[in-house]
Amino acid sequence: MDTQNDQLNTGIRQDFGFFGGLSLIFGVTATLLFYKAAIGLNSLIFTVIISILLILISIKLNIPVTKEVAFCLAGSVFLGISNVLTSSHTMQFLNNIGILLLLDFTLIRLFTERKSSGFLNDLFNIIILPFRALASLGTFFIDGNSFIKRKNIIKNDRLRNIIIGFIIAIPLLVIILFLLSSADLLFKKITGTVFDWLHDSEIFIILLTVLLGTVLCYSLLCGSTKKKVKDDKKEFKASSVIGITASAILLLTYILFCGIQILYLFAGGIFVLPEGFTYAEYARRGFFELLAVTCLNILLIIISEKVFEENKLLRAMLTAITACTYIMIASAAYRMFLYIGAYHLTFLRLIVLLFLLIDALVLAGVIISLYNKIFPLFGYSVIVVTVCWVVFSLSRPDYHIANYLISHKDKIESEDIYFLTTDLSYDAAPVVLPLLEGQYDGNTKYYIERYYDRLSNADSRGIRDYNYSYEKAVRLIKQKKK
């Protein structure tokens, strides 16, 4: 694999004309789509363009596009579609994080590890890739200089070096001017005119954005194909007795805890709750702690399988811990349903339920990997998280949250109007706008007017940041004004 990585890295750096050109397309496209624009159609177009660029790179380097890579690219495109359909800034932010992680994993599967090397190794590769890209920032200028020299584009060596030095200095100058101006008022006064021009110059900012995007793209390509640090040490595994001892202690604790859940929570109150607790308060009090324990258990099982020698008793104990973890997941979900029943739905509560579903599905993969060593746990986890998040994202949760609140309350109060018009995006407009008719009183007037004002401002969006949710909400409010 290291030899293959060297060949890929060399191929990219020697063919600067092609890969530098693709990087420039990336930088120009990113600037054209996102400069002074909100998230909307541009997100989808950019994701599609990146997918096409990665496929072109794969063809150029003779790397097969596997089903896993195709799945990741398709998942990122679906998240781009979701950004067009939703007006929730929180959802768009999380979608963008998902797109970046999927593209990160795509680069790893194309260049670094074409097959899974274990859950922890795959996770480490995803975390380390941005740092490897940062370490490769200078390669764009080094390879660009070699390309210009080789093609004899600028014949004079001194002039070529001056131009490259000038390009490198510009972004550094902006940062340094900002820092020094903040540090010394006199220096700020002297350089104020220059700094104001840099800040206000549209063409300068656009060119700087293009340059940064181009360098970033090329650095990612070089960083993802860079030779890994080779570890010649033989893998050492600790005695399984250590794992058995630790697992036994935890298992006894979990059995006691799960017994309490069955008697107090699932049985509907066969035994009396502690004094002063309602079921909703009891559910809310321990929910997040339970969530943390379930995540900890998944990591514990993965690390135990990696660290300790293989042993049937240890495997049986880890399986039992898995069973207890499922009871904890069920307890956490039941607690959340109790809490929702008392205090209704919010975006965070829906996210938590989604996380519990993902938790349960990933845990199933963890237990399979205990008995099947070749099971691709990390790839399975990527598929589970991607599918669950894409379905959740495309469902436009804010609409269902508003619909749930309106249908489960006999009387809508001013605090509910505040929640519907302030905390929720315009995904909920189809159910919120009809409700606002007849609710226009002194307590809610301000919130409703602000809701309409924000919606009228959304009508000024252009083609780059076109958003279906905003467009539908604007259309609905215009129909009501007729």
Side-chain angles (χ1 to χ4, degrees), residues 300-314:
L300 171 69
I301 296 167
I302 292 171
I303 293 172
S304 295
E305 193 270 337
K306 175 81 174 175
V307 170
F308 298 116
E309 295 172 345
E310 193 170 344
N311 182 280
K312 289 184 178 180
L313 180 57
L314 176 59

Side-chain angles (χ1 to χ4, degrees), residues 90-376:
T90 302
M91 184 63 72
Q92 288 175 342
F93 172 77
L94 294 173
N95 285 343
N96 290 334
I97 295 295
I99 290 171
L100 290 175
L101 289 175
L102 284 172
L103 294 176
D104 193 342
F105 187 60
T106 299
L107 287 172
I108 289 169
R109 280 294 180 261
L110 283 174
F111 303 135
T112 306
E113 295 284 352
R114 302 250 230 280
K115 293 182 180 179
S116 178
S117 56
F119 187 92
L120 294 178
N121 287 336
D122 285 338
L123 182 61
F124 174 77
N125 285 330
I126 281 186
I127 294 171
I128 204 68
L129 180 58
F131 297 99
R132 294 173 71 179
L134 285 174
S136 303
L137 280 175
T139 56
F140 176 83
F141 301 101
I142 295 170
D143 297 345
N145 184 36
S146 299
F147 175 77
I148 293 171
K149 188 176 182 179
R150 190 168 61 249
K151 296 294 183 180
N152 206 21
I153 296 173
I154 300 177
K155 296 181 180 180
N156 188 297
D157 289 347
R158 182 182 294 273
L159 176 61
R160 183 181 64 252
N161 293 332
I162 289 173
I163 292 173
I164 293 173
F166 184 76
I167 293 172
I168 293 173
I170 289 174
L172 294 175
L173 177 65
V174 173
I175 297 170
I176 290 169
L177 277 175
F178 174 77
L179 293 174
L180 293 180
S181 297
S182 300
D184 189 279
L185 292 176
L186 181 59
F187 183 83
K188 181 179 181 180
K189 186 176 181 179
I190 294 172
T191 61
T193 304
V194 177
F195 191 77
D196 289 342
W197 179 84
L198 290 175
H199 184 269
D200 296 333
S201 176
E202 291 281 334
I203 187 65
F204 174 78
I205 296 172
I206 290 172
L207 289 175
L208 182 61
T209 307
V210 170
L211 175 63
L212 290 175
T214 304
V215 173
L216 175 62
C217 180
Y218 192 80
S219 301
L220 272 170
L221 294 177
C222 293
S224 58
T225 55
K226 187 178 288 186
K227 183 177 179 180
K228 298 185 296 178
V229 178
K230 194 171 182 179
D231 187 6
D232 295 326
K233 293 182 181 180
K234 186 178 179 181
E235 186 178 12
F236 172 78
K237 289 198 172 185
S239 171
S240 58
V241 175
I242 300 173
I244 292 170
T245 304
S247 298
I249 295 170
L250 291 175
L251 184 57
L252 289 172
T253 306
Y254 290 155
I255 290 172
L256 175 63
F257 180 85
C258 290
I260 293 172
Q261 302 308 294
I262 293 169
L263 293 175
Y264 278 92
L265 200 62
F266 298 145
I270 292 178
F271 294 86
V272 179
L273 288 176
E275 187 177 349
F277 278 89
T278 64
Y279 269 101
E281 290 169 339
Y282 179 67
R284 175 67 177 81
R285 197 173 186 86
F287 171 79
F288 287 105
E289 291 84 352
L290 262 180
L291 194 62
V293 172
T294 60
C295 296
L296 188 63
N297 284 348
I298 290 176
L299 287 175
L300 171 69
I301 296 167
I302 292 171
I303 293 172
S304 295
E305 193 270 337
K306 175 81 174 175
V307 170
F308 298 116
E309 295 172 345
E310 193 170 344
N311 182 280
K312 289 184 178 180
L313 180 57
L314 176 59
R315 187 187 299 166
M317 285 189 168
L318 292 176
T319 304
I321 288 176
T322 302
C324 291
T325 305
Y326 270 114
I327 294 175
M328 293 178 191
I329 291 173
S331 175
Y334 186 57
R335 287 165 183 261
M336 182 50 69
F337 281 121
L338 286 174
Y339 195 67
I340 289 171
Y343 300 105
H344 302 294
L345 269 179
T346 63
F347 184 80
L348 179 60
R349 290 163 199 166
L350 266 183
I351 284 281
V352 165
L353 290 176
L354 175 68
F355 189 84
L356 287 173
L357 173 62
I358 293 173
D359 219 3
L361 293 173
V362 170
L363 188 59
V366 170
I367 197 64
I368 292 172
S369 69
L370 280 177
Y371 293 90
N372 183 1
K373 300 301 179 184
I374 63 172
F375 180 75

Side-chain angles (χ1 to χ4, degrees), residues 11-12 14-25 52-53 55-61 147 150 218 221:
I12 289 172
Q14 287 183 347
D15 197 354
F16 181 84
F18 179 81
F19 293 100
L22 288 184
S23 300
L24 180 60
I25 291 173
I52 293 172
L53 291 179
I55 291 171
L56 289 175
I57 290 169
S58 301
I59 294 171
K60 181 71 174 179
L61 297 174
F147 175 77
R150 190 168 61 249
Y218 192 80
L221 294 177

Side-chain angles (χ1 to χ4, degrees), residues 71 354-365 375 377-391:
F71 174 84
L354 175 68
F355 189 84
L356 287 173
L357 173 62
I358 293 173
D359 219 3
L361 293 173
V362 170
L363 188 59
F375 180 75
L377 177 59
F378 194 84
Y380 166 80
S381 301
V382 169
I383 292 172
V384 165
V385 174
T386 302
V387 171
C388 288
W389 183 260
V390 165
V391 172

